[in-house]
Amino acid sequence: FLGEQCCTMKILTLLSLLATHLSASSVNIEENAGQFFSSGHTNNWAVLVCTSRFWFNYRHVANTLSVYRSVKRLGIPDSHIVLMLADDMACNHRNPKPATVFSHKNMELNVYGDDVEVDYRGYEVTVENFLRVLTGRLPPSTPRSKRLLSDDRSNILIYLTGHGGNGFLKFQDSEEISNVELADAFEQMWQKRRYNELLFIIDTCQGASMYERFYSPNLMALASSQVGEDSLSHQPDLAIGVHLMDRYTFYLLEFLEDIHPSSKANMNDLFKVCPKSQCVSTPGHRTDLFLRDPGSALITDFFGSVRKVEITMETINLTEPIQQVDGSVSDGSSVVPPGVHR
Amino acid sequence: MGLLSDPNRRRALISLLTRLNAPICVVCYMAGVAWFMGLAFEPFTLRTYMSENAMGSTMVEERFPAGERALGTGREFSAHKKKAGGMPVDWLVKTMQSRGLEVFTQRFSRRLPFPDEDKERYMVKGTNVYGILRAPRAPRTEALVLSAPCSPGDDNNQAVGVLLGLAQYFRNQVFWAKDIIFLVNEHDLIGMQAWLEGYHHTNTTGMDWSPLQGRGGSIQAALSLELSSDVVTSLDLVLEGLNGQLPNLDLANLFYAFCQKIGVLCTTQGKLQRNDWDSVSGYSHAVQTMMLMVMKQASGRPWGDHGLFLRYHIEAATIKGINSFRQYKTDATTIGRLLEGMYRKLNNLLERLHQSYFFYLMPSLSHFVSIGYYMPAFGLLALILLLRALDLWIQLATPPPGVLSVLTPLVISHLTGVALYTLPIHFQEIAVEHFPVSETEAVVLTAIAVYTAGLALPHNTHRLLTGRGTENGWKVLKLVAVLYLAVLLGCTALINFSLGFILALTLVPVAAFVTPDLCSATPACTLLFSVFLFQELQEMPVSFLDGWMLYLSVISQGILDHALYGSLVYPLVALLVYPCWLLFWNILFWK
């Protein structure tokens, strides 16, 4: 008689546990699904720019290439990355290890690798080309690899590095882009619906001055130093004879090495990268134009390319002919199909 | 109304000027001298710093390992040099080729205008040997030069050894962006002049040389190495070049930075830097170092083989190894590493060195005085001449001066100057026939003879002078002479500050205060005094007789430098300073 009661109790406990588990996991699924659509973007782009040339600016090229490497590792393909390098360090005559660009001393990490695709190289990296890439106003003959073909559901990561000052960034030792120009370019992008959300990272001296003038919505910006501060370089490599990386990007790279495509780290973690004790300068960020809470924006929203899949519960009957837009059926000649819904 | 256009104020200003002219001149002179002496005081100088971004810090790893082998090569070179009785051309060509360089030779020959008694040569024939290390991946547009002289006797064998050792080491590296030319020149400056003329396709001094078969690109920087012992206690940097030209300060900064990194004692003018700038002895040490640099720069001769590069806008310096009685010795490997570090940094250059100063004085290797700080010292001296000219102009305003009366003394003085310039060399054969002297002595004594004859002119040419006996005649002459001297000294100081300043120090008081009765000194005295001062500063004081012999050799070297390398001190003194001073001498004997 007691054995039967025990058995029933056990079955009941098991059943209740199972039910709780199922309900919990179904809640999880809904949460996950909910999170899926919280950002609203469907594709990712990256524009990575190194603006300095000359051998002693090796570290700027290494900065850009290390961000390139992280972004590629997290899933953004080369076709969605516009990489602009103002000088060729790997094949520079002074490079004791030709065809390499190192980011860690003692040559631990070669960020040049085998599959780097540079879209704008050398003297093609100019202010005009950069702004044309952003706004899309390129001559018709420009190949696809040199275009930023983003749409209104694209999240774009823009990374700039080089020598800068209060309100400007120097391109190629001969021209400058000002923070006003940059802000206007972003506004053009917004009005042309060329981005969903945009993350702007800049690693130069007085970098915070570059995002002071932004006024378009859905922009988040990070800089390696405040106005009046210099961004410092990290470590020299004595065999190569130059500084290899800048501090902010070095610690950014370390942080990104821990991120994988399904990681849930969000922007608040990114703001903590490289505190003053490590960077010597004070990194800054700007989130007032960003409509979501930065805590809800994942790192992979900008640095990775996570495919979004829309699950629909409706059934679509494919046996009936698709309804025409104006309701009338023409006499069989040129039938205008309804526009493809993207 | 303005200060100068209001007649009342103008009269007041003019009367002030004429009343206080002499005291203001004296104050200016003392202020100029005090300013100059104050330049060596450390709080008034700036620390040296690297201005060129591309060279950056001393952030390279020097790995040169083969110092002992380099010394062995130096001993081989010495043996072959003895055997060949000069430059061992074949051995050098073979050794450089075995190290993977492209080797070429250049023959040159030159007959000096008169025998050089210091170096005992008259008819010079020699060969330069140079090897080019081609940059592995770069186009042949730029080059760097490392040179060592092939000296007679036992000198500089180790320099050639280190040069060849570095050549072998450099050949194994892939990071050279410029060609490196390793040059061994014979007969030091004459050989270097021949090589540079051949490289740049110029012929300014009438030397005979064979054209260069191989060339690198345009030379960005050059270092000349002089090393005569296996170990050194310190390295000395020599900067002064031809006509007082100096290389860009960044080259000295680079040398100093590497000396500090590697831990080698480095000096300039052979004097080690001291830390006690606030004590009297520390300050006088700095003054001595600066005065040595001033005297060397004023002499206008190149003080190392690098001195001839500067004319072609190639920054160059000489590094001398000095072995004195100190405990801590530096070996050849360390010297090789220092040179390796310097060349790696020069390799990073993208443009010629131009960010730092070209005109400076160095009271020590870590401090410098730039042209903006030392020029006022000269300006104060030149001001005296201008004040004097103004004073004379005011005095002469009432009876109008006749400028033509000045023409005769001017012409006669300049003719004497031309005689001083041309006669000594041309008349040496006649002098040797008639007097029992050697050619060199003949030249020097002819120069002194012409100089003294010029001094006697005013007594004999009085009959030719118009306006003689008039009170204002000498004032017109003095006005013209003072302005002439001011312009002359100003132009000289711009090109060679030290020469201009030393001439100004001695000539300006004479020029300012000369009247028909006052005594005066001569430029020859300036030279004599400078010779003694120079020896004093180098802590090798000489007796009067030795000093006099040194003085004569300085004159002959000056004339030789002009003939061989185009030094401008001798023509400047003979054709411009001497006639200008003769005008003052004329005033002295105005009756």
Side-chain angles (χ1 to χ4, degrees), chain A residues 60-87:
Chain A
H60 297 141
V61 172
N63 289 348
T64 317
L65 283 173
S66 50
V67 176
Y68 173 80
R69 174 202 149 80
S70 306
V71 148
K72 243 175 110 158
R73 190 174 52 82
L74 291 172
I76 304 187
D78 273 314
S79 55
H80 281 226
I81 303 178
V82 178
L83 178 61
M84 305 170 85
L85 296 180
D87 202 356

Coordinates of all heavy atoms in Angstrom, one line a residue, chain A residues 60-87:
Chain A
H60 N 49.3 52.5 -36.5 CA 48.0 52.8 -37.0 C 47.5 51.7 -37.9 O 46.3 51.3 -37.9 CB 47.9 54.1 -37.6 CG 48.2 55.2 -36.7 ND1 49.0 56.3 -37.0 CD2 47.9 55.4 -35.4 CE1 49.1 57.1 -36.0 NE2 48.5 56.6 -35.0
V61 N 48.4 51.2 -38.8 CA 48.0 50.1 -39.6 C 47.7 48.8 -38.8 O 46.7 48.1 -39.1 CB 49.1 49.8 -40.7 CG1 48.8 48.6 -41.5 CG2 49.2 51.0 -41.6
A62 N 48.5 48.6 -37.8 CA 48.3 47.4 -36.9 C 47.0 47.6 -36.2 O 46.3 46.6 -36.0 CB 49.5 47.3 -36.0
N63 N 46.7 48.8 -35.7 CA 45.4 49.0 -35.1 C 44.2 48.5 -36.0 O 43.4 47.8 -35.6 CB 45.1 50.5 -34.8 CG 46.0 51.0 -33.7 OD1 46.6 50.3 -33.0 ND2 46.0 52.3 -33.6
T64 N 44.2 49.1 -37.2 CA 43.1 48.8 -38.1 C 43.1 47.4 -38.5 O 42.0 46.8 -38.5 CB 43.3 49.6 -39.4 OG1 43.7 51.0 -39.1 CG2 42.0 49.7 -40.2
L65 N 44.2 46.7 -38.7 CA 44.2 45.3 -39.1 C 43.7 44.5 -37.9 O 43.1 43.4 -38.2 CB 45.6 44.9 -39.5 CG 46.0 45.4 -40.9 CD1 47.4 45.0 -41.2 CD2 45.1 44.7 -42.0
S66 N 44.0 44.9 -36.7 CA 43.5 44.0 -35.6 C 42.0 44.1 -35.4 O 41.4 43.1 -35.1 CB 44.3 44.3 -34.3 OG 44.2 45.7 -34.0
V67 N 41.4 45.3 -35.7 CA 40.0 45.4 -35.6 C 39.4 44.6 -36.8 O 38.4 43.9 -36.7 CB 39.5 46.9 -35.7 CG1 38.0 47.0 -35.7 CG2 40.0 47.6 -34.5
Y68 N 40.0 44.7 -38.0 CA 39.6 43.9 -39.1 C 39.6 42.4 -38.8 O 38.6 41.7 -39.1 CB 40.6 44.2 -40.3 CG 40.4 43.4 -41.5 CD1 39.4 43.7 -42.4 CD2 41.2 42.3 -41.8 CE1 39.3 42.9 -43.6 CE2 41.1 41.5 -42.9 CZ 40.1 41.9 -43.8 OH 40.0 41.1 -45.0
R69 N 40.6 42.0 -38.2 CA 40.7 40.6 -37.8 C 39.6 40.1 -36.9 O 38.9 39.1 -37.1 CB 42.1 40.3 -37.2 CG 42.3 39.0 -36.6 CD 43.4 39.2 -35.5 NE 43.3 38.2 -34.5 CZ 43.6 36.9 -34.6 NH1 44.2 36.5 -35.7 NH2 43.4 36.1 -33.6
S70 N 39.3 41.0 -35.9 CA 38.2 40.6 -34.9 C 36.9 40.6 -35.6 O 36.1 39.7 -35.4 CB 38.1 41.6 -33.8 OG 39.4 41.8 -33.2
V71 N 36.7 41.6 -36.5 CA 35.4 41.7 -37.1 C 35.1 40.5 -38.1 O 34.1 40.0 -38.2 CB 35.4 43.1 -37.9 CG1 34.6 43.1 -39.1 CG2 34.9 44.2 -36.9
K72 N 36.2 40.1 -38.8 CA 36.1 39.0 -39.7 C 35.9 37.7 -38.9 O 35.1 36.8 -39.3 CB 37.4 38.8 -40.5 CG 37.2 39.0 -42.0 CD 38.4 39.0 -42.7 CE 38.5 37.8 -43.5 NZ 39.5 37.9 -44.6
R73 N 36.5 37.6 -37.8 CA 36.4 36.4 -37.0 C 35.0 36.2 -36.5 O 34.5 35.1 -36.3 CB 37.4 36.4 -35.8 CG 37.6 35.2 -35.0 CD 38.7 35.3 -34.0 NE 38.5 36.5 -33.2 CZ 37.7 36.6 -32.2 NH1 37.0 35.5 -31.8 NH2 37.6 37.7 -31.5
L74 N 34.4 37.4 -36.1 CA 33.0 37.3 -35.6 C 31.9 37.2 -36.7 O 30.8 37.2 -36.4 CB 32.8 38.5 -34.7 CG 33.6 38.5 -33.4 CD1 33.5 39.9 -32.7 CD2 33.1 37.4 -32.5
G75 N 32.4 37.2 -37.9 CA 31.4 36.8 -38.9 C 31.1 37.8 -40.1 O 30.5 37.4 -41.0
I76 N 31.6 39.0 -40.0 CA 31.3 39.9 -41.1 C 32.3 39.5 -42.3 O 33.5 39.4 -42.1 CB 31.6 41.4 -40.7 CG1 30.8 41.7 -39.5 CG2 31.3 42.3 -41.9 CD1 30.9 43.2 -39.2
P77 N 31.7 39.2 -43.5 CA 32.5 38.8 -44.6 C 33.2 40.0 -45.2 O 32.9 41.1 -45.1 CB 31.5 38.2 -45.5 CG 30.3 38.9 -45.2 CD 30.3 39.3 -43.8
D78 N 34.3 39.6 -46.0 CA 35.0 40.7 -46.7 C 34.2 41.6 -47.6 O 34.4 42.7 -47.8 CB 36.1 40.1 -47.6 CG 37.4 39.9 -46.8 OD1 37.8 40.8 -46.0 OD2 38.0 38.8 -46.8
S79 N 33.1 41.0 -48.1 CA 32.2 41.7 -49.0 C 31.5 42.8 -48.3 O 31.0 43.8 -48.9 CB 31.2 40.8 -49.7 OG 30.5 40.1 -48.7
H80 N 31.4 42.7 -47.0 CA 30.8 43.7 -46.2 C 31.7 44.6 -45.4 O 31.3 45.3 -44.4 CB 29.8 43.1 -45.2 CG 28.5 42.7 -45.9 ND1 27.2 42.9 -45.3 CD2 28.3 42.0 -47.1 CE1 26.3 42.4 -46.2 NE2 26.9 41.9 -47.2
I81 N 33.0 44.5 -45.7 CA 34.0 45.3 -45.0 C 34.7 46.2 -46.0 O 35.1 45.7 -47.0 CB 35.1 44.4 -44.3 CG1 34.5 43.4 -43.3 CG2 36.1 45.3 -43.5 CD1 35.5 42.5 -42.6
V82 N 34.7 47.5 -45.7 CA 35.5 48.4 -46.5 C 36.8 48.7 -45.7 O 36.7 49.4 -44.7 CB 34.7 49.7 -46.8 CG1 35.6 50.6 -47.6 CG2 33.5 49.3 -47.6
L83 N 37.9 48.2 -46.1 CA 39.2 48.4 -45.4 C 40.0 49.4 -46.1 O 40.3 49.2 -47.3 CB 39.9 47.1 -45.3 CG 41.3 47.1 -44.5 CD1 41.1 47.5 -43.1 CD2 41.9 45.7 -44.6
M84 N 40.4 50.5 -45.5 CA 41.2 51.6 -46.1 C 42.5 51.7 -45.3 O 42.5 52.0 -44.2 CB 40.4 52.9 -46.1 CG 39.1 52.8 -46.7 SD 38.1 54.3 -46.4 CE 38.6 55.4 -47.7
L85 N 43.6 51.4 -46.0 CA 44.9 51.5 -45.4 C 45.8 52.5 -46.2 O 46.0 52.3 -47.3 CB 45.6 50.1 -45.3 CG 45.0 49.0 -44.5 CD1 45.8 47.8 -44.6 CD2 44.9 49.5 -43.0
A86 N 46.3 53.5 -45.5 CA 47.0 54.6 -46.2 C 48.4 54.2 -46.6 O 49.0 54.9 -47.4 CB 47.0 55.9 -45.4
D87 N 48.9 53.2 -46.0 CA 50.3 52.8 -46.4 C 50.5 51.3 -46.2 O 49.8 50.7 -45.5 CB 51.3 53.6 -45.6 CG 52.7 53.7 -46.2 OD1 52.8 53.1 -47.3 OD2 53.6 54.4 -45.7

